[in-house]
Amino acid sequence: MDSGDWRPFIYGGLASCTAEFGTFPIDTAKTRLQVQGQILDSAHAQLRYKGMTDVFVKTYREEGFRALYAGIWPAVLRQATYGTIKFGTYYSLKKIVVKHNGGHESIGVNVCCAIVAGALSSAIANPTDVLKVRMQIQGSVSHGGLVACFKDVYTKEGVAGLWRGVNPTAQRAAVIAAVELPVYDFCKSHLMPTLGDKIINHFISSIIASLGSAVASTPIDVIRTRLMNQRKLKSTPATNNRHLYTGMADCLIKTIHNEGFWALYKGFIPTWLRMGPWNIIFFVTYEQLKKLY
C-alpha cells in the first residue's frame, strides 16, 4: 500500500462497524454503570446495578432485549466515520513517516501517529457519540430513534449540545489509540517469528492491547460519559444549571469528592471485556480484508 492508498480507510470503517455490532450490549452496560451514583444528579443518584451481569439481567427483564441495542445506529454511524478516519489516518500517516525515515519504524512514531488519528477522528464524530450515550441511557424510554434524538438535542441544546464532552472524548480517543495501536503492532511484530501472520497472532495481540487501553482510558471515559449525558438547555438561565459539571476538571473533582477515586473506574470490567472482543473482531476482520484485496 502506498501513502495515497484508500484501503486502510475502507477496511478500518468496515472492521469497526463489524466489531461494534458484536460488542454493543457490553458498551450499553458500561455506559449505565458509569452514570449511576451521581449525587449531584437526582436522575442517576441511585445505584441500580451491581455490575455488568446485573445490567444485562435487569435491562432484559424490565425493558426487553432491544434496550441492550438502544443507540446502535448512532454507534454504527460513529464507527463509519470515526473508525474510517482513525485507522485510515493512523496507517497512512505511519507509512508516510516511515518512508521519510529511511524505512525505520519506532514505537515513538507509532504513538504520535496514533494520537493524531485518535483525537482528530473522535472530535469529528463527537455528535454521533452524544446521541449514542443518550439513547443507551434512555433505553426503551427513547422514542423515535436516531433522528428524533438528534432533533431533541439540537432543538433544546443547540449545536453545542452535539459537541458536549468533545474534549474528554478527543483525549480518551488519543489515549486509547496511543496505547492500543502501537501495542498491537509491537506484539504482532514480535510474535511473527513464532506464530506468523495468522489469526492466533492477531487474537493474542488484540487481548494485550485492549488491557492496556482499558486501564489508561476508563477514568477519562467516565468523565466523558457524564458530560455527554448532562443536558444544558438553551432556554434555561445559567443560575439554574448549577448542578451541571462545568467541564472536565470540575467533573473529575466532584466525582472523586462525592464518590471516591474508584468511581473513575466504574464500568472498568465491561470496558475491558468489550475492548478485548472488539479489538479481536476488528483486527481479525481488518487483517482478513487486507488479504482479500
Side-chain angles (χ1 to χ4, degrees):
M1 295 186 213
D2 56 44
S3 60
D5 201 337
W6 52 266
R7 284 176 290 179
F9 292 89
I10 302 299
Y11 296 167
L14 289 174
S16 295
C17 291
T18 302
E20 195 70 15
F21 269 110
T23 62
F24 193 76
I26 304 176
D27 189 54
T28 297
K30 177 211 71 173
T31 300
R32 293 193 175 197
L33 287 170
Q34 287 180 337
V35 297
Q36 70 175 1
Q38 298 180 75
I39 296 174
L40 298 178
D41 189 348
S42 59
H44 302 288
Q46 180 185 0
L47 291 170
R48 290 190 60 203
Y49 310 109
K50 297 177 182 178
M52 183 179 70
T53 304
D54 194 39
V55 176
F56 289 149
V57 173
K58 287 183 178 177
T59 301
Y60 178 76
R61 286 179 179 173
E62 299 171 8
E63 304 173 52
F65 177 78
R66 291 183 62 183
L68 293 171
Y69 274 89
I72 182 61
W73 295 119
V76 170
L77 180 60
R78 174 181 181 270
Q79 291 300 340
T81 52
Y82 169 72
T84 299
I85 298 170
K86 173 185 173 181
F87 293 102
T89 301
Y90 171 70
Y91 287 112
S92 297
L93 267 180
K94 190 173 76 167
K95 285 187 176 295
I96 292 172
V97 174
V98 169
K99 182 179 179 180
H100 286 78
N101 199 29
H104 177 66
E105 180 178 336
S106 66
I107 294 178
V109 168
N110 292 351
V111 169
C112 290
C113 292
I115 289 174
V116 172
L120 175 66
S121 57
S122 64
I124 293 173
N126 197 78
T128 58
D129 219 1
V130 171
L131 299 180
K132 175 184 76 76
V133 167
R134 299 281 178 94
M135 291 178 71
Q136 281 180 315
I137 293 169
Q138 292 172 10
S140 61
V141 179
S142 178
H143 299 292
L146 172 61
V147 175
C149 186
F150 170 80
K151 287 182 178 178
D152 180 64
V153 175
Y154 179 74
T155 302
K156 297 178 180 177
E157 303 174 58
V159 175
L162 294 170
W163 264 271
R164 185 89 59 218
V166 65
N167 287 335
T169 297
Q171 291 178 26
R172 171 183 178 267
V175 168
I176 289 178
V179 175
E180 183 178 88
L181 298 178
V183 168
Y184 175 82
D185 285 343
F186 178 84
C187 292
K188 178 186 169 185
S189 63
H190 281 72
L191 290 173
M192 286 286 276
T194 306
L195 302 176
D197 191 13
K198 298 181 179 179
I199 289 180
I200 186 63
N201 186 343
H202 309 153
F203 182 91
I204 295 173
S205 299
S206 299
I207 288 291
I208 297 172
S210 65
L211 176 59
S213 58
V215 172
S217 68
T218 298
I220 305 175
D221 193 31
V222 170
I223 294 171
R224 175 193 74 103
T225 301
R226 293 186 173 194
L227 287 174
M228 283 184 168
N229 184 54
Q230 70 179 6
R231 296 172 67 85
K232 192 172 183 179
L233 306 184
K234 293 187 294 183
S235 59
T236 304
T239 53
N240 293 333
N241 280 323
R242 288 177 181 171
H243 70 285
L244 298 171
Y245 304 114
T246 58
M248 282 189 64
D250 186 51
C251 184
L252 174 66
I253 292 169
K254 286 179 179 176
T255 298
I256 294 176
H257 177 73
N258 293 317
E259 304 169 56
F261 173 80
W262 292 111
L264 295 174
Y265 277 89
K266 283 184 175 180
F268 172 77
I269 297 299
T271 296
W272 181 25
L273 292 180
R274 177 178 184 263
M275 280 185 172
W278 197 101
N279 282 331
I280 290 167
I281 295 171
F282 171 82
F283 284 114
V284 169
T285 302
Y286 185 87
E287 298 287 355
Q288 296 309 304
L289 285 171
K290 281 167 59 180
K291 293 179 180 179
L292 286 176
Y293 182 71

